[in-house]
Structures are given as structure tokens and as C-alpha cells.
Amino acid sequence: MSTTLHTFDTGAVLAEGLANTVSAALASGIAARGTASIAVSGGSTPKAFFQALAKKDIAWDKVTVTLVDERFVPPESDRSNHALVTANLLQGPAAKAHFLPLYHAAASAEDAAVLASNDTAKIGAPFDVVVLGMGTDGHTASFFPGGTQLSRAIDATTPRGVITMEAEGAGEPRLTFTFSSLHDARLLILHIEGEGKKVVLAKAEGPGDEAEMPIRTMLRRAASPLQIYWAP
Ligand SMILES: O=C(O)[C@H](O)[C@@H](O)[C@H](O)[C@H](O)COP(=O)(O)O
């Protein structure tokens, strides 16, 4: 499927532009189907975007927010994407949104993944909005090079849901939606910032295995057009 690059002068201008695009997509979903859904990524990049989106005046009580992926840590941890979203997105008008975490206090990450799959199945498919990030190793979601379940995660025939992932570059065990859950979002976004990430993207757009740079799964096989938002 196609990709479109949207370039902004600064991260702050990107945050406002992306918040406008995403809030319009959520409002459109609510108008069409009565509810809307969004899956967002964690990490350091999206904070300003979350803060801009939280201020948008839409029917947040009709929006379900979840995570593209999560570290298998409780929300009290400073490594938690749940905590990042709570602190920066679920504030102000957006505090009315319904949040579905991926982390569950289960005996294992595998048990938590089953609970997260069952819990998020009620969201329905496809997501209205998915916002992906990308690591400097070319991972997206928790599709890490060398990951324990990478093949399963990126296989288009794997059923929608949340699975575990462990990898050298991932830190804690991860919980991640599968490629099949994410790639057909009505609005599919890749949000990256900095010159370094632009170089990584250019390499990912070149030849090579998807397993080497899993962002290639989205660049090459996403059913939806991939909207790439970048600022220096
Ligand atoms: O849990 C996570 O870390 C994210 O979901 C992950 O996929 C993130 O998007 C990339 O690692 C980029 O992270 P930065 O924005 O910190 O570069």
C-alpha cells in the first residue's frame, strides 16, 4: 500500500497538525458509527501530540483508547505506556475517553496477553486510528528484530489480538497487538521525529527482510495508506 510523508518545521507544529487530523478522524468515526477507537504507541516521541490531542473538543465519552503495545509492567512503573497515556492524553476533555490497558496483573505476560486480547476484542475492527512509532532498530509496535514471536506477530494470517514479545532491545517482556490488528486502521499513522529516524526510515524503505526492520511490514503490506508524520 502507499505511504505519504507529512513534514513539519518543528515537533510542536507536528503535534498540533497530527492532533487535528486524528481528532477529525475520531469525530468522523463517531458520526458514522456512534463510537470511535484509537490505538497509540508509547515511547518518548508522542508526548506533545498526546497533550495537543487531549485538548480537542470531540465526544471523548464515545472514544475508546488503547495501546499499540505495552511493557509488561504495572501502571505505577515509569516504563509504563499506560502511565504515559494517562498523564498526557487522558487529561482535560479527553479524560472522558474509555481506556483499555494491555497490562494485566497476571502470573505471566502470556496470561496478560490472553486477558488483553479478550478485553480489547470488544473494541471491534478495524481501529479508526492507529498511531505507530519506530525505533532506531526499525521496530514498530513491539515487533522487534530477533523477537521471540516476531514471525507470528507480522504474519497477516495471525488472528487479531495481543501477543507477547521478548527481544534484546525491548527491555521487559512486551504485550503487542499483531500486524493483523493494526495494518487496516481507517487512519494509519507513523509518527517519527529527528534526523536519525529519517535515516532509519530511508533504510527501511530500501531492500531487505521485514524481520531485519519490522517497520517494513507496514511500509510494504499495510492495507491502509501509511501517513508518515515527521519533524526534525
Ligand atoms: O513501547 C514502546 O516503546 C513503543 O510503543 C515503541 O514501539 C515506540 O514507538 C518506539 O520504540 C519509538 O520510541 P521513541 O518514541 O521513544 O523513539
Side-chain angles (χ1 to χ4, degrees):
M1 183 47 85
S2 66
T3 63
T4 303
L5 178 64
H6 306 264
T7 299
F8 298 82
D9 290 339
T10 68
V13 174
L14 183 155
E16 186 62 24
L18 183 53
N20 288 335
T21 298
V22 166
S23 58
L26 293 171
S28 175
I30 293 166
R33 289 170 292 278
T35 60
S37 60
I38 178 171
V40 295
S41 294
S44 59
T45 300
K47 187 173 179 181
F49 158 62
F50 288 164
Q51 293 173 350
L53 180 60
K55 297 184 175 75
K56 298 304 175 185
D57 182 18
I58 62 172
W60 282 105
D61 61 323
K62 295 183 172 58
V63 176
T64 297
V65 178
T66 190
L67 290 162
V68 164
D69 65 336
E70 177 63 284
R71 298 83 183 270
F72 185 55
V73 296
E76 297 74 28
S77 167
D78 61 8
R79 290 276 298 159
S80 166
N81 289 336
H82 179 165
L84 177 76
V85 167
T86 299
N88 296 283
L89 176 51
L90 303 178
Q91 299 290 326
K96 296 188 181 72
H98 180 52
F99 179 65
L100 287 182
L102 300 191
Y103 172 81
H104 293 267
S108 67
E110 286 70 21
D111 290 348
V114 171
L115 292 170
S117 287
N118 293 340
D119 197 32
T120 54
K122 61 193 170 196
I123 294 174
F127 285 114
D128 285 285
V129 181
V130 163
V131 184
L132 299 169
M134 183 186 73
T136 53
D137 60 357
H139 83 262
T140 192
S142 284
F143 310 162
F144 286 87
T148 45
Q149 297 205 83
L150 181 60
S151 297
R152 182 182 175 204
I154 64 176
D155 182 342
T157 66
T158 298
R160 295 174 191 263
V162 178
I163 65 173
T164 62
M165 189 72 66
E166 293 189 50
E168 193 171 323
E172 309 81 357
R174 296 292 190 103
L175 300 165
T176 185
F177 273 105
T178 59
F179 171 86
S180 58
S181 304
L182 300 169
H183 77 104
D184 60 353
R186 293 185 177 94
L187 175 61
L188 182 63
I189 302 282
L190 172 62
H191 176 197
I192 56 175
E193 295 187 15
E195 295 298 339
K197 292 279 182 80
K198 198 170 186 182
V199 171
V200 174
L201 176 65
K203 181 182 178 187
E205 289 172 328
D209 292 341
E210 291 183 347
E212 177 197 11
M213 299 186 82
I215 186 64
R216 286 174 172 153
T217 64
M218 294 294 176
L219 294 168
R220 297 176 180 175
R221 293 191 281 124
S224 300
L226 183 63
Q227 307 295 331
I228 303 172
Y229 278 64
W230 179 82

